[in-house]
Amino acid sequence: MPADSDLNLRLRHYLNGLPPQALPITYQQAAEALGLSPPRTIRRVAVALETLMQEDVAAGRPMLATLVVSRRGDLPGAGFFELAVALGRFPANPAEHRAAYQREFAAAIAQRG
């Protein structure tokens, strides 16, 4: 699925504008806030988040994508962790992912402020 630069910008703006107490949000909440309609709304959000991750890592910023999690838990989906490892931001060992995520989440919130 190709990247949608308008969606990427809108998602970045939306995440930067959320109050800390409202975070994290789910992929579904992000899709609804951006006015996305089926099909593949969650997939479109995930692709946009992957683009934001690449941009943030390239710019040396905390990853805003940490602010969006799966409704099945308090962490992003598996694709987030795979890309974070591939980008060199997270360790390869899955046992270290939760702690790395928590640090990155805190940094992303602090960076927005």
Side-chain angles (χ1 to χ4, degrees):
M1 175 178 290
D4 179 338
S5 60
D6 179 60
L7 178 59
N8 300 342
L9 289 172
R10 290 190 305 129
L11 181 57
R12 181 177 294 282
H13 180 75
Y14 175 68
L15 292 174
N16 274 318
L18 288 170
Q21 63 272 21
L23 297 168
I25 63 167
T26 65
Y27 295 98
Q28 184 65 42
Q29 287 171 309
E32 290 170 2
L34 295 170
L36 300 181
S37 55
R40 300 192 326 246
T41 55
I42 302 304
R43 180 70 187 136
R44 289 168 61 200
V45 168
V47 168
L49 288 167
E50 290 170 0
T51 300
L52 296 186
M53 289 172 70
Q54 293 165 349
E55 292 171 357
D56 288 343
V57 169
R61 296 184 299 251
M63 296 183 294
L64 275 179
T66 60
L67 307 180
V68 185
V69 298
S70 171
R71 69 176 180 207
R72 291 185 292 273
D74 59 349
L75 295 172
F80 167 87
F81 291 99
E82 291 167 9
L83 184 54
V85 169
L87 293 171
R89 185 60 65 94
F90 279 18
N93 182 352
E96 299 175 42
H97 286 179
R98 179 175 289 275
Y101 166 78
Q102 290 169 337
R103 286 190 301 273
E104 191 76 16
F105 177 82
I109 288 180
Q111 176 259 326
R112 294 170 340 120

